[in-house]
Amino acid sequence: MTLAAAGTTVPAATVPPTLPLVTVRDLRVAYDEHVVLDGVDLDLRPGEMVALLGASGSGKSTLMRSLTGFVPVSRGSVRVAGHDVTNLPRGGLRTLRSDVGQVFQQFHLIPRLSVLTNVLTGALHGAGPVNLVGGFSSAHRVRALQLLDRVGIAHKAEEPARSLSGGQQQRVAIARALMQQPKVILADEPVASLDPKLAGSVLRLLRQIATEDGIPVLVSLHVLHLALEHGDRVVGLRQGRVLVSAPTARLDAAALAGLYEEEDDDDHDL
Ligand SMILES: Nc1ncnc2c1ncn2[C@@H]1O[C@H](COP(=O)(O)OP(=O)(O)OP(=O)(O)O)[C@@H](O)[C@H]1O
Ligand SMILES: [Mg+2]
């Protein structure tokens, strides 16, 4: 007899709250007098893909770089996968960066090396210097091949990276990021060099990784409809401040237009 059949009250299943893996609070970044980010808050939770929008110069790349300790933080806190980025212990920067997978617009593969070796280099994060020739274990190779299979290009494993199309190279870069077993993925304009069809397929892959592996993905984009179609949430920056932060289901292109409006004439040197 089940508990319910016996008349016992069965508590409704409670969904455990997912704690953010990334928490940014009141972040200010300035280069001399130039304030690039001001009062920025950001949360990234396991399993979600967050689209980062904003005009050129609004601070998207700076916000991403702040998560891996590359920019001078003058106020606020940045926590990433348990690391207090503004107050890292000795050696903490390397561990932090090994926990953060990164994907770039220009892929940043090593063109003459094979696709498989490029993926294997992801295992070097946090490992210190490793001999590139014969320096990887067979377990690493098996894992790299599994990842290439997952991103749909295992058949290219032995080819030099330079022989692949842009969309294929971005898939290699994503497999390389996964090879380091990241806790968070940052993708700064990962589809800006790809045609619309490939852009959609790369964003679907990133979102699938977020959903299936529970890895939050922060992806900066310049195309609104891609953000609305593929993101779970949008964070929109305007002149270094968060102007929009909402689930995509509650947004449309009109709601995002303010991110791209010209500054008031008063703010310009005429
Ligand atoms: N190292 C630096 N020194 C001085 N200023 C910087 C530095 N890095 C960025 N900036 C300035 O910070 C502002 C934001 O730059 P950022 O690269 O974050 O913008 P973005 O939103 O990524 O733009 P884009 O869409 O063109 O990539 C710009 O005005 C830029 O000139
Ligand atoms: Mg940028």
Side-chain angles (χ1 to χ4, degrees):
M1 187 185 287
T2 64
L3 287 175
T8 311
T9 306
V10 180
T14 49
V15 179
T18 50
L19 291 173
L21 267 164
V22 170
T23 312
V24 174
R25 290 289 175 273
D26 195 27
L27 175 64
R28 180 184 174 98
V29 173
Y31 292 98
D32 298 323
E33 299 300 301
H34 184 190
V35 178
V36 176
L37 295 175
D38 199 13
V40 170
D41 292 341
L42 173 75
D43 285 330
L44 300 179
R45 291 191 162 72
E48 68 175 354
M49 181 144 113
V50 175
L52 184 58
L53 295 177
S56 195
S58 59
K60 302 180 296 298
S61 296
T62 304
L63 178 55
M64 287 206 177
R65 284 201 292 269
S66 76
L67 303 182
T68 44
F70 278 108
V71 298
V73 171
S74 51
R75 195 182 65 217
S77 64
V78 179
R79 296 194 67 85
V80 176
H83 305 277
D84 180 351
V85 177
T86 57
N87 195 17
L88 288 169
R90 196 177 163 82
L93 206 53
R94 175 185 278 188
T95 327
L96 164 69
R97 290 176 187 167
S98 74
D99 280 342
V100 180
Q102 289 191 266
V103 179
F104 305 95
Q105 176 179 349
Q106 295 301 338
F107 325 129
H108 292 184
L109 300 179
I110 304 171
R112 67 191 162 77
L113 295 184
S114 73
V115 163
L116 180 65
T117 307
N118 269 281
V119 175
L120 282 164
T121 63
L124 299 176
H125 269 273
V130 174
N131 182 358
L132 262 184
V133 182
F136 298 104
S137 68
S138 57
H140 276 141
R141 286 171 185 276
V142 168
R143 181 167 159 69
L145 279 168
Q146 285 169 342
L147 290 172
L148 280 172
D149 194 37
R150 181 175 183 186
V151 302
I153 42 174
H155 59 293
K156 299 278 185 186
E158 298 305 331
E159 299 193 15
R162 64 167 172 257
S163 68
L164 271 57
S165 72
Q168 290 171 331
Q169 289 196 42
Q170 199 57 298
R171 285 170 179 271
V172 177
I174 291 168
R176 177 182 58 187
L178 290 174
M179 190 70 197
Q180 71 184 75
Q181 300 186 292
K183 295 181 177 148
V184 175
I185 291 179
L186 307 178
D188 197 353
E189 298 195 35
V191 300
S193 305
L194 304 179
D195 73 35
K197 196 172 159 203
L198 288 177
S201 81
V202 164
L203 291 173
R204 273 191 294 281
L205 175 61
L206 285 171
R207 194 177 196 182
Q208 186 189 18
I209 289 164
T211 310
E212 291 179 1
D213 298 14
I215 301 172
V217 176
L218 180 65
V219 56
S220 69
L221 296 167
H222 272 297
V223 181
L224 296 190
H225 80 82
L226 289 177
L228 291 170
E229 185 180 342
H230 298 282
D232 295 298
R233 286 194 297 123
V234 166
V235 170
L237 295 177
R238 182 175 157 85
Q239 295 171 19
R241 291 177 167 273
V242 176
L243 189 72
V244 176
S245 179
T248 43
R250 281 201 243 136
L251 292 169
D252 57 20
L256 298 171
L259 294 172
Y260 302 94
E261 278 165 12
E262 294 290 322
E263 296 173 47
D264 293 340
D265 284 349
D266 292 349
D267 295 340
H268 281 300
D269 293 325
L270 294 176

